[in-house]
Amino acid sequence: MEERKGRRIVLFPLPLQGHINPMFELANILHSRGFSIIILHTTLNSPDPSKYPHFTFHFLHEKLTETEAEASGLDTISLVILLNIKCCSPFEDCLSRLLSDESEEPIACLISDAIFYFTGGVADILRIPRFVLRTGGAASFFVFSAFPFLREKGYIPIQESQLEEAIIEFPPLKVKDLPIFNKCISESLYQLILNMVNATKTSSGIIWNTFQELEQEPLASLHHDFTIPIYPIGPFHKFNFPSPITISSSQDETYISWLNQQAPKSVLYVSFGSIAAINGNQFTEIAWGLANSNQPFLWVVRPGLVKGKEWLELLPNGFVEELNGRGKIIKWANQIEVLGHGSVGAFWSHNGWNSTLESICEGVPMICMPCFTDQGINARYVSDVWRVGLQLEKGLLERKEIEICIKRLMVEKEGEEIRERSMLLKEKACFAWKQDGSSFQWLNKLVDHILSLDSFVFQAQ
């Protein structure tokens, strides 16, 4: 832990789990470098401050009505757009109070989630330097930044007949890999992306939860197109935190003892994140595909994975019993702990960026089943660029195809070759945070940049 630098940093995460976790990991990294950390957070999905005694918390009252909360809960894009509107005034008021408090050490900068594009205007008004954290990969953000070009070329709006066509300007992507939501790019999503990209371009710099060796080409393209500094300092979760984030759950944790009983690299871990949903037929085909593969599996079925269902109602009677202990179905798991377990040989994932990065860091090959937004791009890079996984189309889920894909990855020679590449990529990820590694060096540059900023002196208007 470094000595306090006499500077505070304000961090403002988007209140969705896949965005909260990396922002808090970044906060821990900066705290370890001597900065005092202030977390601004919505009341929506608010964390427990007692778990982070080394941070100071201030909560915004975004005042979502019950109707707005219910409606947006069914539509992530609508929620994000609504939060950009509702949070603006309380965020500005809170940040103004923090800046005007002369009894505290000066605030060096603001770091907000890139999707909170409204913070750019607030930072300009209050004259405070603003960095953005992009919680996804560099490749997907580069595609986001090219949306006007993609529209001009006719790739969007997406046509069903073009899904398998290559995007020749962005190899190896196909049209179906574009970051869409619910099979379309609506005008509201298009505008949200433009706002995010434009607000990012006016920031003091972009912080990435990725590492240079993983996304060298997309990062180089962004360096060329953006005039602001870019800091790839991931993978965040591999940083040696002095005060690690404690993950607690009241859920069944007997999965660890079950994993301990399995052969090395034999278990397929299956989890589709905190938001992705599937229909009843897909759920049933997944269940039978897993059973018919004859491979041990640990399947996280969170409540609500199948819309309208509580949990396992769709499983045939006696399904779990017939597995005879070869499969285990649970509601929750500590994913990093599972991926690092010696018995886990593959990960069937929705390819959210956090899950993709965690799998890479543990050298675990992937079965890719992207659902929406940037997951298609992440999955394409897993299968076609890094070549550490196989693609499985969500729209074509059939038990026989699932069985074949699992065996290709976990039993056949093709899987051995993929596993070898996965272990080589893991070595690169681990080295990034060594003292001579790229992420360590980029973090030094970020810290120097923050310390070079003039201390802000607030003058009440």
Side-chain angles (χ1 to χ4, degrees), residues 243-301:
S243 302
I245 298 174
T246 301
I247 301 175
S248 61
S249 174
S250 59
Q251 304 290 349
D252 173 18
E253 295 186 15
T254 59
Y255 62 87
I256 292 297
S257 59
W258 181 85
L259 285 172
N260 291 340
Q261 298 169 19
Q262 309 306 313
K265 306 298 181 185
S266 67
V267 175
L268 173 63
Y269 170 57
V270 186
S271 179
F272 305 131
S274 58
I275 297 178
I278 57 178
N279 61 42
N281 182 66
Q282 291 169 337
F283 179 85
T284 302
E285 292 299 305
I286 289 171
W288 283 116
L290 290 170
N292 295 342
S293 73
N294 291 319
Q295 291 295 128
F297 65 87
L298 177 66
W299 186 11
V300 176
V301 180

Side-chain angles (χ1 to χ4, degrees), residues 5 33 35 231 441-453:
K5 298 184 186 298
R33 286 303 186 99
F35 294 102
Y231 299 101
Q441 298 299 324
W442 279 114
L443 175 61
N444 287 341
K445 293 176 182 178
L446 173 63
V447 170
D448 289 344
H449 187 175
I450 293 173
L451 290 175
S452 72
L453 300 170

Side-chain angles (χ1 to χ4, degrees), residues 64-197:
L64 289 180
T65 67
E66 187 173 335
T67 302
E68 288 170 336
E70 289 177 359
S72 60
L74 302 174
D75 181 353
T76 305
I77 300 302
S78 295
L79 174 61
V80 171
I81 293 171
L82 192 60
L83 286 172
N84 270 280
I85 298 170
K86 291 279 188 174
C87 290
C88 189
S89 179
F91 174 82
E92 183 176 350
D93 291 344
C94 184
L95 190 56
S96 295
R97 289 195 300 272
L98 290 170
L99 291 167
S100 62
D101 188 351
E102 297 180 357
S103 66
E104 297 285 351
E105 54 199 5
I107 291 175
C109 66
L110 163 69
I111 301 175
S112 67
D113 192 295
I115 295 181
F116 270 144
Y117 53 81
F118 79 88
T119 59
V122 173
D124 288 343
I125 292 171
L126 298 180
R127 292 178 293 140
I128 178 173
R130 167 183 170 264
F131 293 82
V132 300
L133 168 63
R134 177 58 194 156
T135 56
S140 62
F141 190 82
F142 185 56
V143 174
F144 282 136
S145 70
F147 262 33
F149 171 82
L150 292 168
R151 173 176 274 189
E152 178 186 328
K153 288 291 184 178
Y155 292 115
I156 54 177
I158 293 173
Q159 305 299 319
E160 193 76 23
S161 60
Q162 297 177 319
L163 292 178
E164 295 295 332
E165 291 184 10
I167 303 177
I168 57 175
E169 297 88 354
F170 292 90
L173 298 183
K174 298 181 179 181
V175 170
K176 66 181 179 182
D177 300 327
L178 287 174
I180 61 175
F181 205 94
N182 292 334
K183 296 185 178 181
C184 69
I185 296 180
S186 64
E187 191 58 35
S188 59
L189 173 58
Y190 183 83
Q191 196 58 51
L192 170 62
I193 299 304
L194 289 187
N195 290 339
M196 176 184 73
V197 171

